[in-house]
Amino acid sequence: MGGLDITAAVIDIMKPILKVNKCITIGTPHQGASGSKLLAKVKKYPKHHEIQCINLDPSSEPIKFISTLENRKLFLDSIGKLYIFMGLRDFVVRKGHLSQNPLFYLP
């Protein structure tokens, strides 16, 4: 969850990280991961993994907060360069593919 963690850290209201030169995300489900909440119920994960699955659901408060237009713009304005590597074969990140959300592309 590093890609989501850096996004949350940059847009944090209380203590944001203001100077990020380069950000590289690999396979980050920026828009959440469909089915993650169901996976948390079906699988017998440790509690902390279950909470991570629930928080990755596109309708969860953390994903909705990160995904607001204002916060995405704040994230992009706060970093120098953004590099995103996405594998379309990965069933978790396929639904969060950035081609569905062009705001994450930098010129």
Side-chain angles (χ1 to χ4, degrees):
M1 289 181 52
L4 296 176
D5 291 337
I6 188 65
T7 302
V10 168
I11 65 172
D12 186 278
I13 297 168
M14 302 298 281
K15 197 173 186 179
I17 298 173
L18 298 176
K19 301 281 185 186
V20 177
N21 187 25
K22 294 177 184 166
C23 179
I24 300 170
T25 65
I26 301 172
T28 299
H30 291 279
Q31 295 177 323
S34 299
S36 60
K37 192 185 285 186
L38 176 64
L39 189 62
K41 292 180 182 180
V42 175
K43 290 281 204 173
K44 298 292 184 202
Y45 286 125
K47 190 65 175 170
H48 65 283
H49 286 193
E50 180 183 331
I51 291 168
Q52 284 180 340
C53 284
I54 292 168
N55 286 338
L56 278 174
D57 186 77
S59 65
S60 72
E61 289 304 313
I63 294 295
K64 288 194 306 190
F65 177 75
I66 286 173
S67 296
T68 65
L69 184 60
E70 178 182 310
N71 283 334
R72 289 184 184 209
K73 185 172 180 340
L74 176 62
F75 175 69
L76 292 174
D77 289 344
S78 300
I79 59 174
K81 292 184 179 189
L82 175 63
Y83 301 93
I84 300 170
F85 299 94
M86 188 68 66
L88 295 179
R89 295 180 124 185
D90 186 337
F91 80 95
V92 173
V93 298
R94 198 174 358 194
K95 293 286 185 178
H97 190 268
L98 297 175
S99 65
Q100 298 171 8
N101 192 344
L103 182 59
F104 270 104
Y105 286 110
L106 291 179

